[in-house]
Amino acid sequence: TITYTATAGGSVDPESETLAPATGTAEGSTATADAGYHFVNWTNAAGTVVSTDATYAPAKVNGLNVAATYTANFTKSSFPYTIEYYFDNELESTWTKDGEAEYEMNILEAADLTEIPDSVSEGGKTYALDKVVGADNTITVNPDENVVKIYYDLDEKGPEGDKPDGTPDKYQVEVTFVVRNGYWSELQDDAKFSTPQKFWLTKYKDGEPAVDGTATVTTDNAPAVGRLPYDGYSVDSGIWTPGLPMDITEAQTFTYAYLPGSYAYTVNYYYDNVLAPSQTVNGTGTFGAGIPYDASTPKTYAGQNYMLERIDGMGKKITANSAENIVNIYYTLDAIGPDGGPDGIADKYQARVTFVVENGTWTGGTTSQSAVVTLMKDGVPAAAADGGVYQITDGDVPDGTPNAGYLNTGAWRDGRNPANAIINGDTTFTFTYALIPVIPPVTPPGGGGGGGGGTTIPDGPTPLVPDPGTTITDQDVPLAAPGLNNTDHFDYIKGYVIDGQILVRPEANITRAEVATIFFRLMTKEFREANWATENDFTDVKKGDWYNNAISTCTKAGILKGYEDGTFKPNQTISREEFAAIAARFASEEVPAGGMFKDIAGRWSEKDIERAAAMGWIKGSNGLFRPVDKITRAEVIVIVNRMLDRVPDADHMLPDMKTFADNTPDMWWYADVQEATNSHEYDRAEDGVTGIWTSLLPEQDWAALEEEWATAADANVADVAPKLGAEGEKPEEGAKEPETAGGSDGNGEE
């Protein structure tokens, strides 16, 4: 019997055959390999290779009666395999590993990858091992099945911020931690680091990282919060919002806020600047909250009515420094008012004006009437000590009726006329009606009762009569303008030094600002103070401009007006009709006139021109006025001299007076220009009109005087000081000593 066997990996057919002894011939057996294996050889019982063919038949065995065994040997075949690497689910071919290994061998072992790294770098980024697909795969006869896939995913975030942690970012969720009103106490580099901190926590599901898992935020994985609040916040209090612990599935911000502390505050109450300790309020409030207080008005204290004046610390918040948490509330007495009781205006801003009448009564039958008025400065109530004043108006002065035996005329005591008077405190004005004079009867000569008789003439001054032979008419003597200084003959025009010559430039034009300055400086002290102003509504006249005070004051007095567009145009030369209109506003009364000039009919300035002409201040030529022509400096000077009742005569001036190269005795304006440019004392000639110079006086320092006026009016000198030269006029190129005055629209002369 011959036996055929096979090692693992194959089979034989047949497995045995029987032969006749000595004469039998073996047919043999064929070896067939299993899948994954291949045939190697046949060996006999001694292990000797007897054939390498799959089919084997041993040779005849003659004369033997011996059993024999032959074995077909098989071994495993080798097949290809592939290891693929994926980054963020994208195959990276450069990482692919190809090889060949024996059937049923573990692919990873064959590739020598028994330990796959948890983290790798690719393209400058860090990737964490996500999963291995086919980790247990062994070599099969099908190469397409011999594949292992290794997946890595981006890993740049973690519980320590922007640092890899070995877990793919896709399984993690962003958590932001913010601290309010203080600092974190434990961070990597700075114990007082207060900016938001970002972390990434891993989401889990069934104990494994999962995209649809849940992360739990606790105080253990949040930044440590220490006792480092800002000033004013409590070290012992703070809250997490939202509260911890908390499960999250998406990005979430958590805020730890220190809570404000409690601090003491004080509210003091003052009455006319005297502290009232009995009303002091002491309390405790929350840091950052407003200090509570009661500031009711009016308020009664010590039986008197008070009104709220101011609150020092209004809106103040409670701080961590109790010494700063103070609010002072000031009340001021308000006991008097126009109706006899409180009026909502502090008494210190008010004054009582009393009008007393003697030898008569005021309307209503009283001899004394009073009114409470409010002192003002710059449009707001102000105490007298702070410059507050009140200007008496016509409506303030009561009307009266004389007693029997008294005239309907009289006088204010001590010359204190209340009309437009400026007061800064309680003031009394007294008006006394005059007694009707009694003229004794004339006793005829030799009449009654015996005695010498005669005519009795009451004592009294002999009436003054004009000097015989002197006749003065209104046409010859212009009326002086009220409000202007027609007593002092000071210089109001200055000259220029140009190329070594002293000039006055009489034929040059003059600007609107210069005209305003002339009249401003020629005002009487009382008129200027009554109308003093440093503000106006013109868009092109501002504080700091050299002409601001002049224009503001003249505008308040009603002398100047602007244009419809809200401007004044200070640097624009002035026309004859504009100057005439300004001059006419100084007229003391309405003067009848009409048809004086042929070229002004229907013009806006017609009435003003006729009024100034009727006053004797302006003239025309050949029945014409030439209203739109620009007025010259000489024309302005002549008109102003007439308004001031300054009647110069070249024969009555002084030889050492200031003269000018362009003002010579042959010029029609010569005497007027000399009058306007030289300060002098004077007498009147026998005609009572013409001025006779008696001595020269120093020139006016207008800049210094304007500062003096401003100081007297309690204005800010810095706002009124001229900016262009000593006089405020802008000199022409090459000129020295810029001059003061200028004009608007005067009147032309011969």
Side-chain angles (χ1 to χ4, degrees), residues 15 22 27 65 82 92 127 140 176-178 206 230 262 269 353 470 528 571 589-590 677 708 712 726 738 740:
E15 294 180 348
E27 293 181 359
N65 189 18
T82 302
E92 179 52 65
Y127 290 83
T140 70
T176 302
F177 296 98
V178 177
D206 298 330
Y230 293 155
S262 296
Y269 290 85
V353 185
T470 300
R528 187 187 303 106
N571 297 313
E589 57 189 2
E590 293 293 333
T677 55
E708 209 174 287
T740 303

Side-chain angles (χ1 to χ4, degrees), residues 488-493 637 641 644-649 652-653 657-658 660 663 669-682 684 691-693:
D488 299 312
H489 286 197
F490 45 69
D491 61 301
Y492 59 89
I493 295 290
I637 290 171
N641 283 346
L644 297 174
D645 196 17
R646 290 170 68 163
V647 184
D649 183 358
H652 292 88
M653 296 179 179
M657 65 182 171
K658 183 195 301 183
F660 305 90
N663 187 51
W669 57 70
Y670 171 76
D672 281 287
V673 170
Q674 293 302 112
E675 174 73 18
T677 55
N678 288 270
S679 294
H680 55 270
E681 295 185 326
Y682 67 97
R684 296 283 186 183
I692 300 176
W693 293 15

Side-chain angles (χ1 to χ4, degrees), residues 30-99:
T30 300
T32 302
D34 293 339
Y37 288 79
H38 64 273
F39 169 77
V40 179
N41 55 33
W42 287 92
T43 59
N44 58 23
T48 302
V49 175
V50 294
S51 177
T52 58
D53 292 330
T55 299
Y56 172 68
K60 290 182 178 180
V61 181
N62 296 317
L64 294 180
N65 189 18
V66 178
T69 300
Y70 296 94
T71 302
N73 297 293
F74 297 90
T75 187
K76 292 180 179 180
S77 298
S78 293
F79 298 94
Y81 67 83
T82 302
I83 307 293
E84 295 178 343
Y85 287 82
Y86 291 80
F87 294 92
D88 287 337
N89 289 321
E90 293 291 333
L91 176 64
E92 179 52 65
S93 60
T94 59
W95 283 66
T96 299
K97 295 182 181 297
D98 294 315

